[in-house]
Amino acid sequence: MPKLTIDGTEIEVEAGMTILQAAETIGIEIPRFCYHERLAVAGNCRMCLVEVEKMPKPVASCAMPVGEGMVVHTSNANVRKARQGVMEFLLINHPLDCPICDQGGECDLQDQAMAYGGDRGRYQEEKRSVEDKDYGPLIQTWMTRCIQCTRCIRFISEIAGTPVLGGLGRSEHLEIGRYVGAAVSSELSGNLIDLCPVGALTNKPASYTYRAWELKKTESVDAMDALGSAIRVDTRGNEVIRILPRVNDDINEEWLSDRSRFAVDGLKRQRLDRAYVRKDGKLVATSWNDAFAAIAAKVNGLAGNKIAAITGGQTDVETMQAFKDLFAVLGSPHIDCRPEGSKLWPGNRAGYLFNSTIAGIEQADALLIVGSNPRIEAPVLNARLRKRWLKGGFKAAVIGPKTDLTFKHDYLGDQASILADIASGNHPFFEVLKNASNPAIILGQGAVNREDGAAILALASKLAEATGMIKDGWNGFNVLHTDAALVGGLDMGFVPYVGGYDTAGIVAGAAKGEISVVFLAGADEVDVKNLGNAFVVYLGTHGDAGAHRADVVLPTAAYTEKSATFVNTEGRVQRTRLAIFPPGEAKEDWKVIRALSDALGKPLAFDTVKQLRERIAATNPLLAGEGSLVAAPWAPVGIDGALTDKPLASSIDNFYQVDPISRASKTMAECTSQFGGGCGCNSKKKTGTHG
C-alpha cells in the first residue's frame, strides 16, 4: 500500500486509488465536473487539477493513480491559478442565464464559479451557440450550457446499457447528441438530469415550475415497484413537485427508474378526494357517515362467508393488518393480497423472497431468468445485473420473453418445459449452473402468476437444490416482485383461511352470487367486470377501474401522503414518510377501516398507528423493525404438477403505466405514446415507436 503526503498529511492508501479518492479519505474535497465515482474516468474537465512535486505541470487528480512518496498540493497558489484558468475557459461560451435556469441553486458550475470564477471576462470573440436536441418527453436540453463533461454519455452507455449518446465533432465544434435514428428511451434516463453538473439537461415535465430553495424535502422510500428504492420527495405547499433518488448502496445505489421519478403528476390527477355512493346507477358524492351507513346496511346481518377482500399492489402493511382483524371479527375467510393470481404462499418465506439480496446478486456468476423481463420490471436491478456482467465471468440465460436486457445472455425459449429439462439435468445450462460458484435463478411474476405457477416454483426449487444454489452464505433462489405490497401481504398471511377463496375464487363467487360484498383496496388489477351483482366497496386513491365499478368509494392516501410500512422484494422492512397531506377528505387507509369497524358495530382494538404497529409486531416480529433484513431459512417450495404450453412472458405490458398513479400521469402517457410499452421490446400493448 503506497504512502503519500497530501497537503502536509501523510496517508497510506490502497494501490490503484487516484489522488482525488485518496484526498477524500482525509476529508479534502477536490472540485470536479466530469468525475463521478460510479462512472469510468474521463479526465475531460480538468477542474480537479492538483500539483504533484517533481512533476512539470498540474495533473488531473481524478485520473492520476497514487504513487509511493508522492507529495501533493491541492490548494496552493499554483493550483488555484490553474483552476481559475479552467473555470475561465468553461465560462467563455456558457450563457449568463442563471436567473432562468432550472438548475439554479443546485448547479455545480455555479458553486465552483463562486470559488474560482473571475470578476470579469477577457474573451472578445464570438461566443458559440449549440442547437438544442430532442431527448424525448422527460429531459429538457439546453445544449449551449453543456460543458462536455460526458457524464451523460458514460451513464447511458455503462450503467443503462443503451448507448445512444455520443460526441459529434472536435474541439470547439464538439456537441453531445443522439446517434442518427436513436431515441433516449432508457427506463433510467432521468438519472442523466441528476448527473449533469450544469443546466444542460433538466426535468422537462417540471420546467420553470420551482426553485430548489422553495421545496420541502422529505426522505422516504419508493412504492412504485417492489425494489423499495430510497427517494427524496420534494414538495411545495401540498403538491409533490419532484422525486429524486437517495444513495442506498444496498438497494438502488443512487439511481431511480423513470416511472418512479416522473409519474409524480399522477399524484394530483384523477384523485378521489371525497366519498361516493352509487344511486340510480351513478356515483354521487356523499359524507363519510352516509358512505359507512350504506356499507353497514349491506354487511350487517350477512354471513361471513358472503364477504371478501382483495388488496392491491400499493397497499401498506398497516392496512392489511386492519383488514385482517376486521374480517376476523366478521367471520370471513375470503381475503387475498394477490390480485394477479400469484401462486406464492406464506409460511415458507425463502420461497417468495429475493434471497440473494439486491446488492448480493452481484456475487452471482451464473444466472437463469424465468418468466421475467427485469429491464421493465425493475430497471435499477437490471442495472445491477449489467454491472455484474461488465465485471466478466458471468453467464446468464433467459426462459421467457425475448428482449434486450442490456447484458449478454443466452435465450433458451419461452416454454416452461425448458425449465423442466434444465431441472432434470437434460439441458446444457444445468451444467453451467452446477459448475458455478454462486449460481442463481430469478423467477418473475410472469412465471408464478400462471395456472401452472406452483409447478414452476417446484421445478425452480428442485433446480436450486440440485445445482448448489442453497448453501452456507449463499441463497440464489430469487423471486422478483413487481408490486410493493405483495411481500408484506405474504408476511402478514393475508391469504385465504381454510375454506376461503383466493382472488379468482372471489371473482367467480361474486359472479355466481355466492359472495355478496367485495372490498377492493386499490386492487384495480382484478377483473371487476365479472363481479356480477356483488356490492363493491373500493378504497383507493384514483378513479381507476375499481372505482368505476364500485357501489361505495372511500378515498385514501397515496404513498407520499402517509407514514406506512412496506416490505421490498428481498424482505427488507421499509417505511414511507408523509410528505404532503391527502387531498380533500381522503384519509389513511387503516384509519378508514378503523372508522368503518365502528360503523359496523365491531370496533377494532387499536386507535393509533403506534397501537396498530404493536399489533403487527405481535403477529409477525419480522415486521417490527424498520430497515431490518433477516435471511429466511430454506425449505422446498411449490407443488409438482403439469406444465401448460402457454409462453412465459413478463407480467408487465407497459413499463410506464402499471398502477393507478402512473395511469393517471400525463407524462407517463406521453412516454407510452413515444416509446410504447417500454424499451424491453416485448410489450404486448405498444402504442408508439421504439427507438
Side-chain angles (χ1 to χ4, degrees), residues 7 65 99 111 210 312 320 360 370 373 377 434 458 500 560 587 684:
D7 289 348
D111 295 342
Y210 67 91
M320 285 186 274
V370 181
N373 178 357
E377 294 173 19
K434 190 171 181 61
T560 55
K587 309 291 183 184
K684 304 171 187 175

Side-chain angles (χ1 to χ4, degrees), residues 81-99:
K81 184 176 180 181
R83 292 176 184 165
Q84 287 173 339
V86 171
M87 179 60 67
E88 187 174 15
F89 272 109
L90 290 175
L91 295 178
I92 279 175
N93 290 306
H94 198 81
L96 299 177
D97 57 2
C98 295

